[in-house]
Amino acid sequence: MNQYNTGMRNASALANRIIQIKGNHYLDGLAGLFLDDSAFIPNIRSWIQLQGFRMIDAESSAEALKRAAQQWIRSSYRSGIPSVFVLSSDMAGILSVHYGNMSSDGILCSVLPDCHAVHQNVWNTEGYRFSGIMLGTLASENIADTFASADFKGAYISCIAIPVADSVAQDLLAENRRLSAKLTPYKSFQRVYGNSSRRTVDIPVQEVVEALAVLKGESEFLQSNLSDGLVCAAVRFGANDRNEYLRLANMIQSGMTAPGENPGFEPVRCFELHGTFSNWEACLAIPHIASTVALQRNAYAVSFQGITDAASFCTAPIHSYPGYYVDCSLIGDGARDLFPVIPAITNTGIALGKSLNSTGNAVLPLGSLLCHTAVFGACNTGKTSAVMNVLTSAWTDHHIPFVVLEAAKKEYNSMLATIPELRIFTPGVDGTPLQ
């Protein structure tokens, strides 16, 4: 009896440890994590920025973007290198979409018509004042469009996916089988009721039953994802403003899909990070955790993910935003030589409005002001107003001087309201006399 009691106590203690460590439950109750020199920094050899593509139709293009993300993560998984997806918005609200360790833009170009992707050596960032990390199952829908349409300025979200070797997954499965075999004899104990009837009832041991369920769920998750591939992943995010940071954290948590009946589902947990986030390495680093309750005493703040779930978070936006262009025009293959698709203008300039068949902004590059330009349109369609807006922006935003020769009308005199230093020369009495 004493030997059985000792075994039951040991099984109960082991079960509690399993419940704490599996699914990162040992992190519950922590207010934040620290980023220091022991953090894991993903080795990013190259970056590709996706600047735009032509939409086939909404459903087909959404599937194409997901397929591209899955192919990219699988390619990095086979190479044994991390994958990093970054969405960032600068202080002007210009969106950037970056893929780290994408070996070639062919992954994007093969599924996205007229894909405009450029190679870069680094994801340029000046850092962020506030940053956090989010763990849990990353299944999500349209997180990129949610971020891009939320009008964040000076903010970013990223997903870091680290390959899990098949041998590691097999070792975990073997360890789970060993632990299950050790706990199973102690999942219940017998209690005898009644003096005459002597009824024997099996009483379940709650913590042991729960630990066995946790081990079974993780094993089913590992088995179901072995053929497709497993990664350890985390979401890093940040902003320059405290309120924007909190709004961003809430947006990401709200964008996660419901668990359903998925085995191995890990609830989403969000932690504020303490440290300095002045470069891309610090903005993408994964903190190291030393836990006294962990079966493995040293670990990093990551969660197991299937490649499909990780790719759902790493899917680029389906709509146009400043800095990211989706061409919605329908062009037949036979007309492409005569009417080639012109990529979106991404350099700075003077905003004119929205592009046709797209939500992207129409921008007049400053260099184009040196060329002859004609504005055509029927009466009262806004030709003069458009030119006045261009001139006003040229002077107030870029300090570019201009001269207007107006033969008969006096419409441009109204620009005095927005440009007080405007000088008007006239042969009449409405301005400075011509000499």
Side-chain angles (χ1 to χ4, degrees):
M1 180 62 71
N2 290 335
Q3 183 178 0
Y4 180 82
N5 288 340
T6 300
M8 180 64 76
R9 286 194 297 269
N10 292 338
S12 178
L14 176 61
N16 284 324
R17 293 176 66 195
I18 291 172
I19 294 169
Q20 283 185 301
I21 186 61
K22 297 294 186 181
N24 289 328
H25 288 286
Y26 68 97
L27 297 175
D28 292 343
L30 292 181
L33 299 174
F34 289 88
L35 197 67
D36 53 27
D37 293 338
S38 63
F40 171 81
I41 299 176
N43 180 22
I44 309 300
R45 302 173 183 174
S46 62
W47 292 88
I48 288 181
Q49 181 182 3
L50 176 60
Q51 295 184 343
F53 64 96
R54 177 173 59 85
M55 180 184 289
I56 309 167
D57 59 69
E59 183 177 354
S60 299
S61 294
E63 288 300 319
L65 288 168
K66 291 180 183 178
R67 191 161 63 252
Q70 291 175 0
Q71 292 176 5
W72 159 59
I73 295 178
R74 285 195 188 100
S75 176
S76 297
Y77 168 82
R78 296 188 187 101
S79 301
I81 57 177
S83 308
V84 176
F85 176 73
V86 180
L87 289 167
S88 59
S89 179
D90 64 17
M91 296 305 295
I94 304 301
L95 180 70
S96 296
V97 181
H98 285 87
Y99 295 87
N101 278 342
M102 180 174 283
S103 58
S104 168
D105 60 2
I107 294 177
L108 296 171
C109 295
S110 64
V111 297
L112 299 174
D114 302 312
C115 173
H116 186 200
V118 296
H119 291 261
Q120 296 181 344
N121 294 326
V122 67
W123 166 48
N124 290 315
T125 176
E126 296 180 355
Y128 299 87
R129 292 181 59 200
F130 305 94
S131 188
I133 188 169
M134 198 165 292
L135 307 176
T137 301
L138 300 182
S140 62
E141 294 291 339
N142 304 320
I143 193 73
D145 280 285
T146 303
F147 173 83
S149 61
D151 196 31
F152 285 105
K153 291 181 173 61
Y156 82 102
I157 58 174
S158 64
C159 178
I160 302 96
I162 306 164
V164 176
D166 288 345
S167 60
V168 174
Q170 293 291 355
D171 289 345
L172 282 172
L173 286 169
E175 178 70 5
N176 286 352
R177 288 192 293 269
R178 185 187 68 81
L179 292 172
S180 296
K182 196 170 184 178
L183 291 177
T184 298
Y186 301 98
K187 66 180 180 180
S188 65
F189 63 91
Q190 292 185 337
R191 176 168 291 175
V192 179
Y193 292 93
N195 293 326
S196 58
S197 61
R198 305 291 291 177
R199 289 186 302 110
T200 302
V201 179
D202 287 332
I203 307 297
V205 180
Q206 182 177 354
E207 62 272 20
V208 175
V209 172
E210 183 178 350
L212 286 170
V214 168
L215 292 171
K216 180 183 177 182
E218 183 179 85
S219 296
E220 290 178 353
F221 170 79
L222 294 173
Q223 288 281 13
S224 63
N225 287 280
L226 267 178
S227 59
D228 191 39
L230 279 166
V231 296
C232 284
V235 171
R236 285 290 311 273
F237 63 97
N240 285 317
D241 178 81
R242 178 73 179 176
N243 291 331
E244 289 286 90
Y245 164 80
L246 295 174
R247 186 165 71 95
L248 182 57
N250 182 66
M251 183 213 76
I252 300 173
Q253 287 180 295
S254 302
M256 300 301 174
T257 55
E261 299 298 326
N262 295 335
F265 178 85
E266 182 182 333
V268 175
R269 299 178 179 86
C270 182
F271 302 95
E272 183 169 1
L273 289 177
H274 305 284
T276 302
F277 319 106
S278 57
N279 52 39
W280 74 263
E281 290 93 343
C283 292
L284 300 178
I286 296 177
H288 176 266
I289 301 170
S291 173
T292 57
V293 301
L295 296 178
Q296 294 178 334
R297 298 293 293 270
N298 297 312
Y300 291 98
V302 291
S303 301
F304 279 124
Q305 313 285 338
I307 285 181
T308 301
D309 284 342
S312 72
F313 194 93
C314 300
T315 300
I318 191 65
H319 301 293
S320 290
Y321 304 95
Y324 180 83
Y325 183 79
V326 177
D327 181 7
C328 301
S329 59
L330 300 178
I331 302 175
D333 291 336
R336 306 198 69 74
D337 292 336
L338 293 175
F339 304 101
V341 174
I342 300 174
I345 298 170
T346 56
N347 54 315
T348 58
I350 298 172
L352 298 177
K354 297 294 183 181
S355 298
L356 185 64
N357 297 318
S358 172
T359 57
N361 290 330
V363 178
L364 178 65
L366 298 180
S368 297
L369 296 176
L370 301 176
C371 304
H372 294 292
T373 304
V375 180
F376 296 96
C379 294
N380 298 318
T381 54
K383 300 185 298 299
T384 301
S385 297
V387 174
M388 291 169 62
N389 288 337
V390 169
L391 297 176
T392 300
S393 177
W395 176 254
T396 58
D397 298 333
H398 305 285
H399 305 291
I400 298 175
F402 61 86
V403 174
V404 175
L405 302 177
E406 192 172 24
K409 298 182 180 180
K410 301 178 181 178
E411 293 176 288
Y412 287 88
N413 290 10
S414 61
M415 295 177 65
L416 279 168
T418 53
I419 307 179
E421 60 269 37
L422 184 69
R423 299 183 64 187
I424 299 175
F425 297 90
T426 174
V429 294
D430 297 321
T432 303
L434 288 171
Q435 299 295 326

